[in-house]
Amino acid sequence: MNTVDYEKLTIYEVESFHKILLQWCGEAQKVLSLDFGRVQKIDIAAIQLLLSAQKTCHKKSSELILENVSSNVRETLRLAGCEMLFKGLK
Amino acid sequence: MTEELRLFLEDSDEQLGFMEASLVNMQEEGVNEEDIGALFRAMHTIKGTAGMFGFDDVVAFAHIAENLLSDVRSNKVPLTAEMLGLFLLCKDHTETLIDTAVDQKPVSSELRKANDDLVAQLLAFTPEGSKPHSQAAESSVTKMGEISPVQSRTTLWHISVGLKPDFFNTGMDVLSLVSFLDGLGTVTRKAIVIDDIPLLENYNPIEAYIGFELQLDTQSDYAAIEEVFEFVEDDIELQILKVTDKEKLLSWIDGLESKQNKVKFLISNGFFDKTDFVTAQESNQVVIPIKNEEKIKNSSFGEDESKVASKKEPHKSFSLRVDSSKIDQLINQMSEMVIANAKIAQRADKLDDTELSESTTIMSEMLEEVRSSVMNIRMVQVGDSFAKFRRIVGDVAKKLGKEIDFIIKGGETELDKMVVEKISDPIMHMLRNSVDHGIEMPQERKAAGKLESGTVTLSAYPDAGTIVIKIVDDGKGLDKERILAKAIANGTIPSNHNLTDKEIFNLIFAAGLSTADQVSDISGRGVGMDVVKRNIEELRGTVEIDSRKGEGSTFTIRLPLTLAIIDGFLIQSGDTKYIIPLEMIQECIELSPAYKKQMKGNHFINLRDSILPLLDIRTYFDESESKSQRENVVVIRYGEYKMGLQVDELYGEFQTVIKPLGEVFRNVPGISGGTVLGSGEIALIFDIPKLMEYKIKNS
Amino acid sequence: MSHEDAHEKSEIGQDQYLLFYVGGDVYAIKALSTSEIVEYTTITKVPLMPSFVKGVTNIRGNIVPVIDLLDRFSLGQTEIQPKTSIVVINYKTENETTQLGIIIDEVYEVDDINTDQIKEAPAFGAKIDKKFISYMGKYQGDYIAILDTQAILNTTELSKLAKGCV
């Protein structure tokens, strides 16, 4: 499991997170699971990036899974209308 | 303070101004739909923008006020006089909350209490059914799939929001907009559009690729929904339509690049049904509608119509906030173009190239048009800014127990925005003075045989290239004796003065001279009128007083239309070229030997039976004698003063872009700036009012 | 020498200087404080100003006051020659930087002067008022005055009207 080492994941962080995701997606086999335990805040720019990561995973038949998602982040995902789009959120 | 925060403050100031204007208007003219609408929108906008900055206290309070206003707007709650008063307090309170939030000050217990009191009062008026949930702030929790309890006259809207690529640059949080929609009603469906998101390899983290499709069940109208997106309207593709409006739906879809994908998306997410996309003629084909030319025409016509329709929505006058430095830059560039064109014209003259000359003439006409358009951007009607004085006059009158009819005239008069802003404080001060010192107490008025209620009139009108703002009251007038006594007592003038009435009145502009026997907290603190005068002079304006004992006083402020460009008249005296503001020139005459003979050593001539004092610029500026044989006189009028300027050469009209001369020349009397001529030379601009004032004072 | 002066001086070594002729003598100013050198162009006289304030000229659309340096030094008035130039100097007031032009006869050189070649101005004996001189710098064997532009362009002094009141 890959730990997402950000407290906040917003437009200010997406540039560096993008680079990390590129690497992780390249390495991932069947599953890319991201530990979201540390992330307390997320914004639409980050959500968009996650959706891109998900697309990228699908393309190479792997799966993106978010784990340990905090309630704040979950709430934001719900507000964006995409809590159903990610695996690992129930 | 960040740029965003500054804009926010500016905007909320404006909104608070709207609120006050509509409330005061309703207090005077009675309750009407238009003002209620304006009030609601203002409160709503404040809530929206405050939300973007996370000013929760402001949002929470505005939400409750807005709620009640929403009920007022839908005629559920009648708007009483008591409520108008309450909303005025709410406006003030909102202002305080905003200031507190912007200054990042903690909310004091006093403020908290005031807040709670107002909330309680607001809730007392709010009908049970529409009271906001206990946790109003929690509107960010989506209620997807939830169907709201059946409310009267709700409409199902479809809203499509596509973020333009540089949306993230706006710093706006699109999710908070989505949650505001929740506040308007119930978001019954919501889906994020992710088709355009590229793979990570091609992904640019700061570009926006997504969009949202939303279905909203609400009592709000088109305009109210559109307003939610007001601040990002340039950064999104927005489509708002009634779910039942098939025509608009089809024309929208038809205008899209990827119609098929959108239709599939909307159907699969349950927003619409397959059959919704079928036109009557094509009822057998379940395909993307409207394929042939004619229909495309039809549909785009339909879209045009809907655009027109949306333009007709009330209060749709869009305004654009532009940093004023951008306009200044434009004006600078314009003036460089004017100069460049003048150079070409000169060259064309030299070459005797008539064709080129004609082209430059056309060019300069066009430049003139562009210039006036650019200048127009800065012009605003004074009415909006005048409206806020109503309440001040009302408040002051109430406090003093006076009855006052406050009349505003000429609110449509246009003036440079910067001038309007800077003149606001002086006017406010003068109005306070008029109410406080000018208008008498009702019984006093009655005794003097006047109507018990006094009248204060604030009017604006253009006059001879300037804008005149007048404050007229029918009060007791200025007390000459008392002004004199004070001025002599504090040494402003000697006791053996021989001042005219006008000069005596003008003494109230001297520092530290207040005529009120009892210093009230309304005005009369001794500071004030001198500051008023200085502020007006900084705007290159003047102020005059006229007053009659027992009948009232008139304050006349004269202001230039704009600060940056004037129409000038170019002259030369000695080695220096000067510009005289054209609007002040009445005529130019030649100083013929006949005139000179008349003068007999005096410095005035008889111009058509009136005496015209002459001022020779050369001697005024202590320069060498004229080399020129011809002497010309430029007849200048300013207000009621006239004078003739003796100059060497007259060159004609010149578009003058005023530029500062700088600190080095600050002491030169009668020169207000400089301008660059077509030849690249510099001409100095006369400050005629200063020149006259100086001359009159020193003779 | 005060501590502050010493600090200032140590910085000087890193600066380039603009060397130029005025009234036959060579003077220097820090190149950093100049913004450009332009050919002498038409100057519009502003009335009532002291004679060393020649007037204003147009530098790229901006109105810039022009000072006759020779006159400012009370050494006469500059005669305009083909090589006469105007050096545009950035002058700092309390809250902004404005531009002023000074008239010079001719540009001589732009070059470095080493820190150890810089000395205090003599207490007296210089042709021009001591207040206009920051330091003396040794350049190619000669001591030349490094001018204090802030003092030369002092707004309070420049803005005094020649005749007091009209």
Side-chain angles (χ1 to χ4, degrees), chain C residues 93-141:
Chain C
T93 57
E94 275 161 37
N95 33 28
E96 53 174 7
T97 300
T98 57
Q99 292 194 320
L100 282 99
I102 57 172
I103 300 175
I104 60 165
D105 287 337
E106 191 181 342
V107 173
Y108 175 54
E109 194 76 80
V110 177
D111 207 345
D112 293 331
I113 300 179
N114 288 336
T115 315
D116 56 10
Q117 299 294 320
I118 287 177
K119 300 280 180 304
E120 282 289 278
F124 56 89
K127 200 190 251 182
I128 63 173
D129 195 326
K130 185 172 176 289
K131 71 179 175 188
F132 297 139
I133 307 176
S134 294
Y135 302 101
M136 300 297 287
K138 198 173 180 187
Y139 186 73
Q140 296 179 342

Side-chain angles (χ1 to χ4, degrees), chain B residues 548-569:
Chain B
R548 270 166 205 273
K549 194 158 191 184
E551 290 176 29
S553 310
T554 301
F555 292 80
T556 309
I557 304 170
R558 209 171 260 277
L559 293 168
L561 271 177
T562 172
L563 299 175
I565 297 190
I566 57 168
D567 285 323
F569 192 85

Side-chain angles (χ1 to χ4, degrees), chain B residues 100-123:
Chain B
T100 312
V102 169
D103 296 345
Q104 297 181 322
K105 282 189 287 205
V107 175
S108 67
S109 58
E110 263 166 76
L111 185 57
R112 179 66 59 204
K113 188 178 172 303
N115 191 71
D116 293 348
D117 283 353
L118 283 173
V119 167
Q121 289 185 60
L122 285 169
L123 289 179

Side-chain angles (χ1 to χ4, degrees), chain B residues 346 568-580 582 585 588 628 630 632 634 647-655 677-679 681-684:
Chain B
Q346 262 178 11
F569 192 85
L570 185 62
I571 57 136
Q572 184 159 359
S573 169
D575 292 332
T576 309
K577 290 193 169 87
Y578 297 93
I579 295 281
I580 302 170
L582 193 62
I585 297 182
C588 296
S628 154
R630 273 179 54 195
N632 300 284
V634 182
V647 305
D648 295 338
E649 289 283 346
L650 304 173
Y651 292 107
E653 290 177 32
F654 182 77
Q655 279 262 302
L677 300 174
S679 58
E681 263 180 290
I682 289 167
L684 307 177

Side-chain angles (χ1 to χ4, degrees), chain B residues 146-418:
Chain B
E146 237 175 66
I147 308 282
S148 64
V150 185
Q151 280 175 325
S152 59
R153 289 180 285 134
T154 65
T155 309
L156 214 49
W157 295 87
H158 183 83
I159 303 162
S160 171
V161 183
L163 307 190
K164 290 189 186 166
D166 50 2
F167 178 87
F168 294 148
N169 289 341
T170 64
M172 292 291 184
D173 181 4
V174 68
L175 293 179
S176 69
L177 297 181
V178 172
S179 65
F180 286 136
L181 281 180
D182 244 345
L184 283 185
T186 311
V187 175
T188 46
R189 268 177 211 290
K190 173 161 60 189
I192 184 166
V193 183
I194 60 172
D195 290 354
D196 294 335
I197 302 180
L199 297 177
L200 284 177
E201 289 83 5
N202 307 317
Y203 189 88
N204 179 353
I206 56 162
E207 227 171 75
Y209 304 100
I210 52 168
F212 292 94
E213 300 294 331
L214 301 139
Q215 201 174 62
L216 177 70
D217 190 21
T218 178
Q219 288 173 289
S220 304
D221 59 2
Y222 181 95
I225 300 172
E226 198 184 24
E227 244 181 81
V228 173
F229 299 97
E230 197 179 341
F231 303 99
V232 291
E233 63 187 6
D234 292 335
D235 309 294
I236 57 170
E237 308 282 354
L238 181 64
Q239 188 64 233
I240 303 168
L241 50 92
K242 287 185 182 161
V243 168
T244 51
D245 190 348
K246 296 277 159 62
E247 213 172 300
K248 198 168 176 190
L249 171 66
L250 290 178
S251 73
W252 165 49
I253 294 292
D254 198 55
L256 295 174
E257 264 175 49
S258 51
K259 307 172 198 184
Q260 239 128 349
N261 283 345
K262 184 63 94 187
V263 170
K264 248 192 248 167
F265 184 87
L266 291 173
I267 294 173
S268 67
N269 282 287
F271 285 98
F272 294 97
D273 197 73
K274 269 183 190 173
T275 54
D276 288 332
F277 295 98
V278 179
T279 55
Q281 295 94 321
E282 292 169 321
S283 50
N284 293 326
Q285 298 167 271
V286 185
V287 285
I288 311 312
I290 309 161
K291 288 247 167 94
N292 62 55
E293 281 290 340
E294 202 192 352
K295 277 181 194 143
I296 287 171
K297 257 191 223 155
N298 279 341
S299 70
S300 62
F301 175 62
E303 191 177 59
D304 280 348
E305 240 180 1
S306 69
K307 267 187 194 154
V308 172
S310 73
K311 278 206 182 104
K312 278 185 194 150
E313 295 280 343
H315 297 281
K316 275 268 125 232
S317 103
F318 278 113
S319 63
L320 188 64
R321 229 170 247 290
V322 181
D323 195 300
S324 65
S325 70
K326 285 187 184 164
I327 297 176
D328 291 343
Q329 191 188 359
L330 201 53
I331 290 169
N332 259 338
Q333 286 159 343
M334 276 295 308
S335 60
E336 297 295 309
M337 280 168 77
V338 170
I339 290 167
N341 190 51
K343 280 189 178 160
I344 299 173
Q346 262 178 11
R347 187 84 189 137
D349 257 5
K350 233 181 221 167
L351 297 173
D352 218 4
D353 187 334
T354 44
E355 232 173 282
L356 189 59
S357 281
E358 272 168 35
S359 301
T360 58
T361 312
I362 295 169
M363 186 68 174
S364 76
E365 277 164 17
M366 285 169 62
L367 284 170
E368 167 58 24
E369 276 173 36
V370 177
R371 183 196 71 94
S372 72
S373 306
V374 172
M375 291 314 293
N376 243 324
I377 299 176
R378 304 178 61 102
M379 303 301 260
V380 294
Q381 295 195 347
V382 294
D384 288 343
S385 140
F386 278 9
K388 72 171 179 204
F389 296 132
R390 278 200 198 171
R391 183 167 174 210
I392 290 155
V393 170
D395 281 356
V396 173
K398 207 166 148 193
K399 212 169 185 172
L400 296 168
K402 294 181 181 178
E403 287 170 34
I404 301 220
D405 285 328
F406 182 51
I407 299 166
I408 293 177
K409 284 184 190 159
E412 71 288 347
T413 310
E414 288 194 331
L415 196 57
D416 191 296
K417 171 114 176 9
M418 194 170 27

Side-chain angles (χ1 to χ4, degrees), chain B residues 505-670:
Chain B
F505 296 144
N506 273 311
L507 284 174
I508 68 166
F509 289 122
L513 213 69
S514 178
T515 59
D517 281 340
Q518 292 222 313
V519 173
S520 65
D521 69 336
I522 308 287
S523 53
R525 272 164 295 199
V527 292
M529 288 313 261
D530 57 325
V531 180
V532 165
K533 182 164 181 167
R534 205 167 56 234
N535 285 348
I536 293 170
E537 280 177 348
E538 269 168 20
L539 295 169
R540 297 196 285 115
T542 58
V543 56
E544 271 177 35
I545 309 172
D546 201 10
S547 181
R548 270 166 205 273
K549 194 158 191 184
E551 290 176 29
S553 310
T554 301
F555 292 80
T556 309
I557 304 170
R558 209 171 260 277
L559 293 168
L561 271 177
T562 172
L563 299 175
I565 297 190
I566 57 168
D567 285 323
F569 192 85
L570 185 62
I571 57 136
Q572 184 159 359
S573 169
D575 292 332
T576 309
K577 290 193 169 87
Y578 297 93
I579 295 281
I580 302 170
L582 193 62
E583 72 233 12
M584 294 176 183
I585 297 182
Q586 213 157 40
E587 60 184 312
C588 296
I589 54 175
E590 197 179 330
L591 199 59
S592 63
Y595 276 127
K596 283 195 174 165
K597 218 171 137 196
Q598 276 177 13
M599 284 168 69
K600 293 178 195 132
N602 290 319
H603 287 285
F604 63 81
I605 56 169
N606 175 351
L607 180 65
R608 290 186 297 272
D609 271 348
S610 70
I611 297 173
L612 183 74
L614 291 185
L615 174 62
D616 188 337
I617 294 178
R618 284 185 312 271
T619 48
Y620 175 70
F621 283 138
D622 209 13
E623 285 185 345
S624 58
E625 274 304 301
S626 167
K627 295 165 216 155
S628 154
Q629 289 304 310
R630 273 179 54 195
E631 278 192 80
N632 300 284
V633 172
V634 182
V635 182
I636 288 171
R637 181 186 80 106
Y638 186 72
E640 52 199 67
Y641 299 106
K642 263 194 192 177
M643 100 174 145
L645 282 182
Q646 272 175 281
V647 305
D648 295 338
E649 289 283 346
L650 304 173
Y651 292 107
E653 290 177 32
F654 182 77
Q655 279 262 302
T656 308
V657 179
I658 301 174
K659 298 198 167 176
L661 281 187
E663 280 287 280
V664 173
F665 304 105
R666 65 183 168 208
N667 295 327
V668 183

